[in-house]
Amino acid sequence: MRDSSRSVSFWQQAVDLLSDICGSTHVLTDTDILYTYGQDETLGLHFGFDILVKPGNAEEVSSIVKICNELRIPITPRGGGSGVTGGALPIKGGVVVSLERLNRIIHIDELSSYVIAESGVVTAALCERVEQQGLYFPVQPSSKAYSFIGGNVAENAGSIHSCRYGTTAQYVLNLEVVLPTGAIIWTGANVPKNATGLNLTQLFVGSEGVLGIITKVVYRLIRRPAHEVTLLAGFTTIEDACKAVLAIRQSGFTPAAVEMVGPEALRITAAYLSGPLPLVKQGIEAHLLVGLQEDTENALLHAMETVGGVLEKYAAEPILVGTTTLEKERLWKLRFSIGAALSSGGRTYRDIDISIPLSLLYPYLAKVEEITARYQLAVAYFGHALDGNLHTMVMLDQDLDTEAGANAAQAVNSIYAYAIANGGAISGEHGIGMLQKEFMKNQFSADHLALAKSIKHVLDPNDILNPGKIF
Ligand SMILES: Cc1cc2nc3c(=O)[nH]c(=O)nc-3n(C[C@H](O)[C@H](O)[C@H](O)COP(=O)(O)OP(=O)(O)OC[C@H]3O[C@@H](n4cnc5c(N)ncnc54)[C@H](O)[C@@H]3O)c2cc1C
């Protein structure tokens, strides 16, 4: 929302002060340009705001924050705008600070295995650069072509590889952060072992732009395993697919990816892609895609025997194996087209990103099916099965103001209630933003929330940084 409570001259003064910091070409008020920055990937939502600023370094970010603090102007930090919980939406108007010009990879230390980069570097660009030097950053969200590394840190993003390698949090060694007062701090040190003082680095990981603006990121890197294959298995029931996931966990071997595609996601995406697709046929209700990555050929063969054996026990058809890049792409094609398929043809959906204990994988999905059937809603679920983090998309073909819209809200509430009552978490990787914040009081006690709010207040007493998010 644009802030009309303040005069034209107030906003002109703000524009002039911000232009003195960044140069007038990087301070924008043209409504057509601002429009794109008023939305992200959340439910087609859009919010108007007053000024877009594109700083070129941490010092400029600091000066912007100082001015906004003085004038009490809300600031929304923005990375690639790929968020799906509305974190980058400027819901209180004011200033959007886009980090897109902070796009330099500053240093790669091969021996110590870390990279220092500015927060506006596109995820895929960072991954490609470190791989050119024989290193590997395994937490690559599917949005890597346009998400920024600062946004990934702010959301504690995950990836299909998180079941083996963890989430962004496990790779952040150190952060340069501009605090809401304008002070610039480093949170840690560029070392993998660090027991020095309070862990401020992890305070900022997943903080969704409410505690500070991240300007530089230091990521730990690993060596990429030399041998990889993909396995695709088809199942006649989702229960069998879930049994296979649990059996993989019990085998003691952890693949680099175990991704599930549920029945509705399979149907919608197959129709969207058309043409022949592997294991898309009558009677196949679910897919599991398993990625194996090992250092040696022998280890890979052992992994294929172990995991392949488990899959064969529950699968309806022989397991498909992809070894070449082309074969692997063919097997992954449907999984990586789900997002585009679900958004096609004017469809919208409410993205539920719940994480549940693995033992409840099937009970959770059975509950989701039961609840959505009760409200006559379609539900498409898919994603990170071995993490217990399935993206559960409640399809919203209806006008949200109608009775059907109210039913969808009821169904969504019931799904969250089940997960929270059974030890789950509201978000596995997409964060809280504005979309999921109403459920925070169900997850946490009043004391927990009061502590979190007091931390926010200490850092940001005037509540200027991404106000209205998370709490
Ligand atoms: C097709 C698609 C696939 C996706 N796949 C995945 C996936 O595999 N895994 C996953 O975890 N997520 C995924 N996402 C969600 C999204 O891409 C991630 O949340 C991503 O990390 C957001 O990064 P961004 O740069 O786009 O951040 P934005 O959307 O711009 O911002 C997200 C939040 O971070 C804050 N923020 C951004 N930059 C900074 C900064 N420098 N300092 C402080 N705060 C900041 C914003 O204020 C906002 O609250 C997907 C989204 C889409 C649309």
Side-chain angles (χ1 to χ4, degrees):
M1 151 214 347
R2 298 196 67 152
D3 186 351
S4 51
S5 68
R6 283 159 150 175
S7 65
V8 173
S9 64
F10 172 87
W11 288 114
Q12 190 52 54
Q13 181 204 7
V15 168
D16 292 343
L17 290 167
L18 295 170
S19 300
D20 288 345
I21 298 165
C22 305
S24 56
T25 47
H26 302 304
V27 180
L28 301 141
T29 53
D30 182 300
T31 40
D32 287 344
I33 297 171
L34 265 53
Y35 192 86
T36 324
Y37 292 82
Q39 59 194 14
D40 61 3
E41 295 290 335
T42 311
L43 282 174
L45 294 172
H46 177 269
F47 290 83
F49 62 101
D50 302 278
I51 306 173
L52 172 65
V53 195
K54 300 181 180 182
N57 54 48
E59 289 67 32
E60 289 184 9
V61 175
S62 162
S63 302
I64 292 165
V65 169
K66 279 181 189 156
I67 295 290
C68 289
N69 215 343
E70 228 168 84
L71 300 177
R72 304 289 192 268
I73 300 175
I75 302 174
T76 307
R78 182 182 176 92
S82 70
V84 289
T85 54
L89 295 175
I91 58 176
K92 307 270 185 194
V95 165
V96 167
V97 174
S98 169
L99 281 311
E100 66 198 67
R101 289 178 61 228
L102 273 71
N103 58 4
R104 286 164 289 241
I105 295 176
I106 295 164
H107 177 60
I108 299 174
D109 189 319
E110 276 186 54
L111 202 58
S112 309
S113 301
Y114 66 76
V115 55
I116 308 175
E118 290 183 321
S119 60
V121 172
V122 172
T123 315
L126 180 115
C127 296
E128 279 161 28
R129 250 311 272 295
V130 302
E131 286 191 36
Q132 281 163 12
Q133 293 190 225
L135 294 160
Y136 185 43
F137 179 68
V139 192
Q140 308 183 4
S142 307
S143 54
K144 67 180 177 181
Y146 56 113
S147 60
F148 292 177
I149 61 166
N152 296 340
V153 173
E155 292 289 9
N156 188 14
S159 82
I160 62 164
H161 292 146
S162 288
C163 58
R164 168 99 165 232
Y165 298 107
T167 62
T168 302
Q170 277 84 59
Y171 293 83
V172 182
L173 296 177
N174 199 1
L175 295 171
E176 182 188 68
V177 181
V178 175
L179 301 179
T181 50
I184 304 176
I185 62 161
W186 279 98
T187 58
N190 306 345
V191 291
K193 235 184 144 189
N194 192 342
T196 315
L198 295 183
N199 194 338
L200 294 188
T201 304
Q202 294 301 330
L203 178 66
F204 287 97
V205 174
S207 64
E208 301 192 43
V210 308
L211 299 182
I213 301 184
I214 299 157
T215 44
K216 290 192 189 81
V217 175
V218 184
Y219 272 147
R220 176 172 74 85
L221 301 169
I222 60 173
R223 296 270 152 195
R224 186 177 191 136
H227 302 273
E228 290 185 35
V229 295
T230 297
L231 309 179
L232 173 63
F235 302 84
T236 45
T237 66
I238 196 72
E239 189 172 10
D240 283 344
C242 290
K243 281 181 182 163
V245 174
L246 266 59
I248 291 173
R249 166 57 55 83
Q250 281 167 329
S251 76
F253 181 84
T254 308
V258 179
E259 293 286 299
M260 180 183 282
V261 183
E264 190 70 4
L266 198 58
R267 265 190 289 279
I268 292 175
T269 315
Y272 170 77
L273 290 171
S274 69
L277 290 160
L279 290 180
V280 172
K281 52 165 74 168
Q282 192 78 25
I284 296 293
E285 286 288 295
H287 282 178
L288 278 185
L289 278 137
V290 176
L292 301 173
Q293 293 184 332
E294 296 301 323
D295 289 329
T296 65
E297 229 168 295
N298 272 350
L300 189 71
L301 283 175
H302 173 65
M304 283 172 73
E305 271 167 29
T306 310
V307 180
V310 168
L311 291 173
E312 266 166 10
K313 204 169 152 204
Y314 299 98
E317 299 268 338
I319 313 302
L320 302 184
V321 182
T323 46
T324 66
T325 305
L326 218 62
E327 285 167 358
K328 282 186 255 180
E329 276 172 10
R330 186 171 157 266
L331 298 187
W332 281 104
K333 184 174 175 182
L334 186 140
R335 164 66 184 90
F336 284 135
S337 304
I338 295 173
L342 294 186
S343 312
S344 66
R347 287 192 192 89
T348 51
Y349 51 80
R350 173 63 167 78
D351 172 352
I352 299 176
D353 169 41
I354 276 165
S355 212
I356 41 139
L358 193 63
S359 56
L360 294 181
L361 191 63
Y362 180 65
Y364 168 73
L365 293 177
K367 191 52 135 182
V368 165
E369 293 279 8
E370 178 204 310
I371 291 168
T372 48
R374 195 189 319 148
Y375 290 101
Q376 294 175 313
L377 294 158
V379 63
Y381 46 81
F382 65 95
H384 319 311
L386 197 60
D387 291 328
N389 179 212
L390 289 183
H391 301 311
T392 306
M393 312 306 215
V394 176
M395 305 308 292
L396 307 171
D397 300 308
Q398 311 88 353
D399 180 349
L400 286 178
D401 293 331
T402 63
E403 195 188 326
N407 279 346
Q410 284 290 339
V412 167
N413 288 347
S414 305
I415 293 170
Y416 278 104
Y418 172 84
I420 292 169
N422 288 282
I426 295 170
S427 171
E429 58 179 24
H430 291 164
I432 300 303
M434 57 174 279
L435 196 67
Q436 316 210 78
K437 76 175 196 173
E438 64 176 294
F439 302 105
M440 288 288 276
K441 62 181 183 317
N442 304 342
Q443 176 103 58
F444 295 120
S445 68
D447 286 341
H448 176 119
L449 292 174
L451 173 62
K453 282 181 190 164
S454 66
I455 292 170
K456 161 77 170 164
H457 188 69
V458 167
L459 287 163
D460 184 13
N462 299 318
D463 196 22
I464 58 151
L465 205 56
N466 216 356
K469 307 291 169 59
I470 303 185
F471 317 112

